[in-house]
Amino acid sequence: QVQLVESGGGLVQAGGSLRLSCAASGRSFSTWHMGWYRQAPGKDREFVGTLTIDSSTYYADSVKGRFTISRDNAKNTVYLQMNSLKPEDTAVYYCAAGTVLIGMQINPTIWGQGTQVTVSS
């Protein structure tokens, strides 16, 4: 009954920008903490950032100043705006939702399917 669907991934040159979307189905979207994670092939899943219910944001040091998380409650959509992209940002990006905040990260209970982001040099 609750589902997250990412979109907006693709291939972009280093220094470019990309905006990912995470569309949520169901009610009470604004009552969930939202998070973004990424995973490169053969690597562990890595924290990217968090947008809390009260609109606080937290980011990994590697993306601070370059990535921004926002939400549009009317559209039930969360966004990840990525600027000044680097080849090291290449990964599958996942959005997630949870009701519990642990430090600067959520405890995810719902995951999207992921969207591929590839940054060329």
Side-chain angles (χ1 to χ4, degrees):
Q1 298 297 318
V2 181
Q3 187 176 10
L4 302 176
V5 180
E6 298 100 333
S7 63
L11 194 155
V12 64
Q13 293 185 344
S17 298
L18 205 61
R19 188 180 74 164
L20 306 183
S21 298
C22 175
S25 65
R27 298 163 55 190
S28 301
F29 177 82
S30 63
T31 67
W32 293 78
H33 304 299
M34 303 298 298
W36 284 95
Y37 298 80
R38 65 187 184 185
Q39 186 170 23
K43 303 287 186 178
D44 292 334
R45 189 163 297 184
E46 177 187 20
F47 167 72
V48 174
T50 297
L51 176 62
T52 69
I53 292 171
D54 66 354
S55 298
S56 296
T57 54
Y58 305 98
Y59 299 97
D61 288 341
S62 59
V63 305
K64 283 181 180 177
R66 300 188 299 120
F67 290 12
T68 302
I69 304 173
S70 61
R71 75 166 82 209
D72 186 335
N73 288 331
K75 297 181 179 179
N76 287 334
T77 301
V78 173
Y79 303 99
L80 179 65
Q81 178 67 47
M82 304 183 293
N83 298 324
S84 302
L85 283 163
K86 305 174 181 179
E88 304 94 284
D89 296 318
T90 295
V92 176
Y93 283 71
Y94 300 89
C95 67
T99 59
V100 177
L101 184 68
I102 304 174
M104 62 188 296
Q105 301 186 42
I106 62 171
N107 179 28
T109 58
I110 304 172
W111 289 92
Q113 85 288 349
T115 185
Q116 176 71 47
V117 172
T118 302
V119 184
S120 62
S121 59

